[in-house]
Amino acid sequence: MMSQFIITGASVWDGSSEAAYAANVTINGNKITKIAKAGESPADTKGEIIDGTGHTLMPGMVEGHCHPSFTGISMPTELGLLSNEEHMLLTAQNLRLLLSHGFTSVFEAASAKPLLGVTARNAIEAGLIDGPRMLAGSPEVTTTAGLGDERKRHIYQESFGMVADGPDEMRRVARECVRDGVDVLKINISGDEFVSHARAEITPTEPEEIEAFVRVARTFGKKVAAHARSSESVKRAVRAGIDCIYHCDFADEEALDMLEEVKERIWVGPAFGLVHNCTKEGGPAGITREVAESMHLFRKFDATCATYQEIRKRGIRVVVGGDYGFAVTPMGQNARDIDHFVRYFGFSPIEALKCATSVGQELMGRSHDLGRVKEGYIADLLLVKGDVTKDVSLVQHQDNLSMIMKDGVMFKDSRDGFHAHGLIRAAE
């Protein structure tokens, strides 16, 4: 017998409207079956009534740049020191943590090792572990001397990158990842401040390498994501037809024009959490102001803000997700990105919430049945204390998430969590 819930008294933000509205929402099985606005009666009064007074009912959030297999590391080489078995357990722990923070879907921006993301996705779908819906990513495919290549002449070190040089190697590695069962292929086109030999404005990966990689993805129907901080890397990503282009910090006018020209087919994501935390909260993780200065991170901070203020004006689709999973960006802080969009990029609260819900589901390929509070859509829902359309920071705190529902099933179970507060009762 299917379960039925009727959420009453909440202010509903449906993932697309410019304001919230009062409504009763009926969930039957895993679907939203009725939205009765103020003055209308629910279609059915049989089921469990959840009193959402003082709450906002909204879609579950989407982490659009997710690294669930990044395990609180200070240095990338730490990922290579973990055994596969321990790494898988820590990945599962992170995925449960993400769901407990209201992320009902994640787009894996890269797995730290082959098969971690694929195994986690399959385990979630089989009900073996708790976690969000997941598109599983490949490791970050990079070139010699690119981001993710931590090898040295005198010692071999694993990191999070799979190294491939030239079009033939790119094709082989991409095909291996397809064989593994990934949904998303990830390629690193630019460098990064965290790599001494390849800073963010260096572009090691050649156009023919990128094009070979993308052709494999197209052949097998996979999405492609790219690490692209330099302006040239953004241009190469656009020309190659990459779907999701991360960072874009130093995009010049030509790169921004190119992004705008293809805005109906691409998504971008600043992954700003890492830049923010390194420049404003890095001390406890050993990133002092002096260290951040030496790594040019304040310059990157300013460039990212300017770029995304412009990207917002141009109507380019942006997803949240901030490179969480490092010591300086602990997993669980992910919802802070929504407030960053408002505070630093000029997004309105509603615009930022859309980035975290309906726009994210467009990237996931699920905008037809997820990302909205809408009749006929799957019930991935959050009940948040307060008015999140006025204060997006509310979703950062687990205590404010009174209900977390995925696929019509309570993860944060109101039948346990609400009884003490009198918020749930059986309907007559």
Side-chain angles (χ1 to χ4, degrees):
M1 182 177 179
M2 290 190 298
S3 59
Q4 180 161 292
F5 299 96
I6 304 168
I7 301 172
T8 64
S11 180
V12 176
W13 180 70
D14 61 16
S16 62
S17 298
E18 296 306 311
Y21 50 84
N24 296 327
V25 177
T26 302
I27 298 102
N28 201 331
N30 74 335
K31 295 287 182 70
I32 299 166
T33 55
K34 177 68 175 177
I35 299 174
K37 293 189 176 180
E40 301 175 358
S41 298
D44 196 336
T45 57
K46 294 180 179 178
E48 291 188 280
I49 305 295
I50 300 172
D51 183 359
T53 302
H55 291 70
T56 303
L57 182 70
M58 63 174 280
M61 295 184 289
V62 183
E63 225 285 14
H65 183 118
C66 197
H67 293 296
S69 52
F70 283 27
T71 55
I73 57 170
S74 296
M75 299 294 293
T77 50
E78 293 174 31
L79 293 169
L81 299 176
L82 290 168
S83 70
N84 290 342
E85 294 82 0
E86 182 182 6
H87 209 158
M88 188 67 247
L89 291 172
L90 293 172
T91 300
Q93 183 180 53
N94 275 343
L95 285 161
R96 193 178 198 283
L97 182 65
L98 283 160
L99 184 54
S100 75
H101 281 269
F103 288 92
T104 55
S105 295
V106 300
F107 184 94
E108 190 178 27
S111 178
K113 290 188 178 86
L115 291 174
L116 287 177
V118 169
T119 303
R121 177 202 64 200
N122 293 347
I124 291 167
E125 290 177 357
L128 296 175
I129 63 174
D130 291 325
R133 301 172 189 278
M134 184 173 175
L135 290 186
S138 73
E140 304 190 29
V141 179
T142 190
T143 59
T144 297
L147 173 65
D149 177 17
E150 300 286 342
R151 301 169 301 170
K152 299 184 185 300
R153 288 284 187 191
H154 65 290
I155 190 170
Y156 184 86
Q157 297 182 125
E158 288 284 354
S159 179
F160 52 73
M162 292 180 70
V163 179
D165 292 304
D168 287 345
E169 286 192 24
M170 283 288 176
R171 277 189 283 268
R172 176 185 58 79
V173 169
R175 287 168 180 158
E176 288 177 352
C177 293
V178 168
R179 185 182 63 196
D180 288 339
V182 303
D183 303 301
V184 182
L185 288 163
K186 172 72 175 290
I187 186 168
N188 290 348
I189 303 176
S190 80
D192 199 284
E193 265 71 27
F194 293 90
V195 181
S196 60
H197 52 267
R199 295 297 191 192
E201 291 171 84
I202 294 175
T203 311
T205 310
E206 297 293 338
E208 58 269 23
E209 294 174 316
I210 305 165
E211 289 158 10
F213 190 81
V214 172
R215 276 199 298 273
V216 172
R218 294 292 168 256
T219 298
F220 290 94
K222 307 297 182 181
K223 280 190 166 72
V224 190
H227 171 98
R229 292 196 184 276
S230 69
S231 189
E232 179 58 29
S233 67
V234 174
K235 297 170 191 176
R236 291 181 187 181
V238 172
R239 293 187 189 111
I242 284 172
D243 302 294
C244 187
I245 307 173
Y246 291 125
H247 307 301
C248 306
D249 313 69
F250 298 104
D252 62 17
E253 195 72 17
E254 181 186 9
L256 289 167
D257 288 344
M258 291 174 68
L259 289 171
E260 186 175 7
E261 287 171 9
V262 295
K263 68 181 182 180
E264 299 303 321
R265 72 161 180 82
I266 60 121
W267 294 261
V268 298
F272 185 64
L274 185 59
V275 182
H276 174 273
N277 286 16
C278 285
T279 53
K280 295 189 177 295
E281 304 172 3
I287 304 175
T288 63
R289 182 173 183 86
E290 291 73 24
V291 169
E293 285 279 12
S294 71
M295 296 172 68
H296 312 291
L297 293 177
F298 292 99
R299 179 172 179 268
K300 181 191 280 187
F301 183 102
D302 292 340
T304 305
C305 291
T307 295
Y308 279 87
Q309 288 168 17
E310 184 62 26
I311 278 174
R312 174 193 164 273
K313 292 174 186 175
R314 292 170 182 248
I316 300 165
R317 293 179 292 187
V318 188
V319 295
V320 304
D323 261 332
Y324 293 94
F326 293 92
V328 73
T329 52
M331 195 69 69
Q333 289 188 352
N334 309 63
R336 297 177 80 186
D337 272 32
I338 305 169
D339 189 52
H340 293 337
F341 278 33
V342 175
R343 189 180 302 269
Y344 299 110
F345 302 158
F347 284 70
S348 71
I350 293 289
E351 289 171 336
L353 288 168
K354 288 179 181 178
C355 293
T357 55
S358 52
V359 174
Q361 290 297 353
E362 290 172 4
L363 176 62
M364 295 287 293
R366 297 296 297 268
S367 60
H368 62 286
D369 64 353
L370 285 167
R372 288 185 168 83
V373 184
K374 183 176 179 180
E375 291 178 4
Y377 272 51
I378 293 173
D380 283 14
L381 301 169
L382 307 178
L383 201 55
V384 186
K385 293 177 185 175
D387 186 352
V388 74
T389 67
K390 299 292 192 295
D391 181 3
V392 297
S393 71
L394 293 172
V395 292
Q396 295 176 24
H397 308 292
Q398 282 183 301
D399 288 348
N400 289 334
L401 303 179
S402 295
M403 181 192 82
I404 301 170
M405 178 180 283
K406 177 192 164 195
D407 205 37
V409 176
M410 295 285 191
F411 173 70
K412 193 166 186 179
D413 195 333
S414 59
R415 287 165 293 187
D416 295 330
F418 286 174
H419 275 311
H421 300 93
L423 291 176
I424 187 164
R425 61 180 173 81
E428 297 178 358

